[in-house]
Every structure is written in structure tokens, then in C-alpha cells.
Amino acid sequence: MKDRVFLLLLLLVFFAPAVTFTLQNSSPFLVRALLQADRLVNCSYDNRGGTFRFNGGELIWQSANTIESLSSLMIATNSTKWVNVVHKTFENNLDFFTECFDDHQWWLLAWIRAYELTNDTGYLERAAIIFD
């Protein structure tokens, strides 16, 4: 089930920027996405570590994808519901670098999307550090 939620949110990354929704005229897809996002944060987010845990484990790139997806959903719905999750993840994961360079790219994309959501230049600066 969590894999389905992750996939749904990942799909939002590709579709949310193209469409602006209002909650009054919510499509069934949007309503389901919002419910699944709530479930994802409530069931899989580790408040202490600031990452998401899927199937009992943690893959750092999955947290990046999830942050990007939540940010995209908030942009699409003009919401700030999970901004605290984005910020806590940002604050708690200063040194996440691994030997897998594609993990870095997922985080770069997540912080760019977080910047688009909040206009907080700290996210953009972190993305620039990753890019360099």
C-alpha cells in the first residue's frame, strides 16, 4: 500500500505543476491524493530523523522524492499543510551525501521544488551546493 501511495505522489510531481486546483472544485483524484499524502506523512514520516521510512527501511532518495511530491501537491492546492515536514527534513538532513550520485540529484530536485513552494532561499542554496 505504501508503494502505491509513493507512486501516486510521484505521479503528482509530473502532473501537479501543469494544473492548478481549487479545493472547492476538487477532482476525485485530488481528494484521494490529499488523503494519501496525509496517510503517508502520518504513517511513514520519522519526526526525529526527518526522513520517510518505507517497508521498514529507509532509502534516502525515497525521502527526497516524497518531499518533492508533497511540495508539488502543496503548490497545486495552494496549501502549506506539510511545510513543517519539508522544513524539518531540510534541517535534519544537512549531510546526506552518499556514493550514489543519483541520490544527490533527487535531493536537488526536492529542494528546488521546496524553494518554489516557500520562496525560502535556503532551499535554493542547498540545491546549488548539491549541484556544485
Side-chain angles (χ1 to χ4, degrees), residues 30-49:
L30 178 61
V31 170
R32 187 169 183 167
L34 292 167
L35 292 172
Q36 295 296 350
D38 265 340
R39 186 177 299 154
L40 178 67
V41 170
N42 291 332
C43 296
S44 298
Y45 189 67
D46 175 16
N47 274 315
R48 287 176 288 175

Side-chain angles (χ1 to χ4, degrees), residues 47-111:
N47 274 315
R48 287 176 288 175
T51 57
F52 288 86
R53 298 191 180 281
F54 300 100
N55 297 325
E58 174 186 343
L59 295 172
I60 199 71
W61 66 269
Q62 289 179 334
S63 287
N65 280 350
T66 305
I67 290 297
E68 182 183 7
S69 297
L70 285 174
S71 296
S72 293
L73 182 58
M74 287 186 282
I75 289 168
T77 59
N78 198 27
S79 170
T80 58
K81 185 170 186 172
W82 303 285
V83 166
N84 61 326
V85 171
V86 173
H87 185 69
K88 185 162 191 143
T89 300
F90 180 77
E91 290 294 319
N92 287 357
N93 291 282
L94 299 175
D95 185 23
F96 65 86
F97 295 107
T98 66
E99 293 178 9
C100 302
F101 294 115
D102 61 324
D103 289 359
H104 304 178
Q105 294 168 349
W106 291 119
W107 282 108
L108 182 141
L109 294 171
W111 299 138

